[in-house]
Amino acid sequence: MASAVTPTADPAPGATAAGVVFVLSLVVALAAVYRPVGDHLYRVVAGTRQSRVERGVFRLVGVNPAAEQPWGVYARSVLAFSAVSVLFLYAFQRWQDHLWLSLGFGPVVPHGAWNTAVSFVTNTNWQWYPGESTMGHLVQMAGLAVQNFLSAAVGIAVAVALVRGFARSRTGELGNFWVDLVRITLRVLLPVAVLGALVLMLGGVVQNLSAGTDVTTLTGGGQTVTGGPVASQEVIKELGTNGGGFYNANSAHPFENPTAWTNWVELFLILLIPFSLPRVFGRMVGQHRQGYAIVAVMAVLALGSITLTNVFELAGQGTVPQAVGAALEGKEVRFDVSNSATFGAVTTLTSTGAVNSAHDSYTALGGMMTLGNMMLGEVAPGGVGAGLYGLLVLAVITVFVAGLMVGRTPEYLGKKIGSREITFASLYFLVTPALVLIGTAAAFASGNASTALNVGPHGLSEVLYAFTSASNNNGSAFAGITVNTPWWNTALGLCMLLGRFLPIILVLALAGSLARQAPTPASEGTLPTHRPLFVGLVVGVTVILVALTFLPALALGPLAEGR
């Protein structure tokens, strides 16, 4: 993945300056689109008009777009849709050799097909396989790529349902899942994908369905890539809502990410919708400043993580990295160390999983940052939709803790946070840590951790990373571990499934409980949730909860390695 280089001078100062400009330009661009994109999202989820295409879809599936659903029905709709999607995608892979555009590939093995079906339906996009030599075009496009849209739309729909719980009173209805799913897909994700694809094609990302059966050598982005039968099939690029690429090298491949500026575009697309959703939250609850507070929490956590990841990678612990001025191992020279570190931080702060460098080759502390980003629950800004509802759950926990400190019943946006609400919020927070730690322990106890390339602290980090990525629906990996076995594909698939849908059920249950409440007028004792103090409290609670949960595991892994 990395290109060989022999630096003639210490690259760190120049790389640092370029990296700062890179990040600042992203911040400025995201700030510029926060209102227009957020307002468009708001109109999509709050409007009542149906387009002709949407009406046709609703008639086809037998949905009454005017009928709303209580949280239980909304949750069952999410689960039913996702279950059908898993079965369809599993069958698609198993029957691949009988389908058009299979490129001669045989059926995917059962445990691998299960893992991939669950992976893409849960918005994880974990890949145990090299896409260019495993999946034909039809499975890639009509199976995996479709789920890139639909799984992202499910996340946004659940986030909107939770916001409706805060915004509504004395009702059990949270909207209609099918209406939300169709509108978000047709009015938001597809247009963004089309525009993003055009921009990336201008930047050199290639798209070609020409069939080739011979081993072919292709040159692009200053790098020669040799592959098997599908190497002459050029990439259909994923556009920021998810990870998972045609080539196993993903966004490090010159056909998927040719230049430094396409690298910037891909990061912008990854962050565009998650950072704009707080605007929807503010508009729906009738207080724009509440949206600004949530996006401020996201920004503080994100900028802190990006900064630390860059510092650790540019510092380059170790004799060789210090000699060349940075940790160049596993990184593409066309992106340099800083922009690779920024991509690594962003992709683990969101549930994207796309990578442009080898996270397994990061320094011990740089790799710890990618692990820690996922352990935060991916809320800065997190996955498409999942980041917003995860952060709102943390805000609920924060106001509950603050209420205990001053001895009064906590309130958030006029809703009391009682025993029922805090139970849902606490269980939400505990799901993924339990999956991560139990899964890691099971791998070592059963002997399956032996598939890790390394031993000692880094070997532990590789196993811990795999379960952290799967349980948090991220999809990136410390690649020095073999996971294409029945045990690993089954275990990680279960973590993806439970890590996605147990939190969704708890979020919708919380939304239903909040929607049924009558509004509580603010008083002198009400904690203001739009001020810097609250932003700091949410940041502090998030970091402290994660530290208390995962510090022992991190101490045995990346911290021990980096001592």
Side-chain angles (χ1 to χ4, degrees), residues 38 47 69 104 124 129 155 160 186 218 246 320 322 328-329 364 371 418 441 489 518:
Q69 300 170 320
T124 309
Y129 58 89
V160 169
L186 295 181
L218 301 173
F246 197 101
V320 174
Q322 288 178 357
L328 291 166
E329 166 63 24
L371 259 173
N489 277 333

Side-chain angles (χ1 to χ4, degrees), residues 5-20 310 313-316 320-329 331 333 335-339:
V5 293
T6 304
T8 57
D10 182 356
T16 301
V20 169
N310 272 274
E313 291 304 291
L314 289 168
V320 174
Q322 288 178 357
V324 301
L328 291 166
E329 166 63 24
K331 298 180 177 68
V333 293
F335 301 138
D336 72 48
V337 173
S338 182
N339 290 353

Side-chain angles (χ1 to χ4, degrees), residues 357-425:
S357 55
H359 292 188
D360 201 26
S361 295
Y362 278 29
T363 63
L365 297 182
M368 181 188 69
M369 290 306 302
T370 60
L371 259 173
N373 291 340
M374 293 183 290
M375 290 171 175
L376 286 173
E378 294 176 339
V379 293
V384 184
L388 177 61
Y389 66 65
L391 194 51
L392 290 177
V393 169
L394 286 167
V396 167
I397 295 174
T398 299
V399 296
F400 182 80
V401 171
L404 292 179
M405 293 171 65
V406 299
R408 62 173 280 122
T409 302
E411 303 164 12
Y412 187 39
L413 300 175
K415 301 297 178 70
K416 290 187 178 296
I417 308 301
S419 59
R420 181 180 178 86
E421 289 76 22
I422 197 60
T423 297
F424 291 139

Side-chain angles (χ1 to χ4, degrees), residues 268-291:
F268 176 75
L269 291 172
I270 289 170
L271 297 170
L272 175 63
I273 295 175
F275 263 123
S276 299
L277 279 171
R279 174 73 176 181
V280 181
F281 170 64
R283 289 201 62 174
M284 290 183 72
V285 299
Q287 299 181 51
H288 290 305
R289 56 190 184 181
Q290 299 292 344

Side-chain angles (χ1 to χ4, degrees), residues 167-258:
R168 296 180 176 183
S169 301
R170 301 186 182 92
T171 180
E173 297 178 338
L174 297 176
N176 188 306
F177 167 72
W178 306 104
V179 173
D180 291 338
L181 180 74
V182 171
R183 283 183 176 176
I184 291 164
T185 301
L186 295 181
R187 301 190 194 183
V188 179
L189 297 178
L190 277 172
V192 171
V194 170
L195 292 174
L198 292 174
V199 172
L200 289 177
M201 288 170 68
L202 290 173
V205 176
V206 290
Q207 178 166 322
N208 182 9
L209 296 181
S210 63
T213 56
D214 299 325
V215 175
T216 309
T217 300
L218 301 173
T219 303
Q223 175 174 324
T224 299
V225 181
T226 302
V230 86
S232 61
Q233 311 302 322
E234 298 171 289
V235 139
I236 298 172
K237 180 62 188 172
E238 52 82 17
L239 295 170
T241 56
N242 307 82
F246 197 101
Y247 290 100
N248 200 37
N250 207 264
S251 288
H253 198 293
F255 289 164
E256 293 202 32
N257 193 2

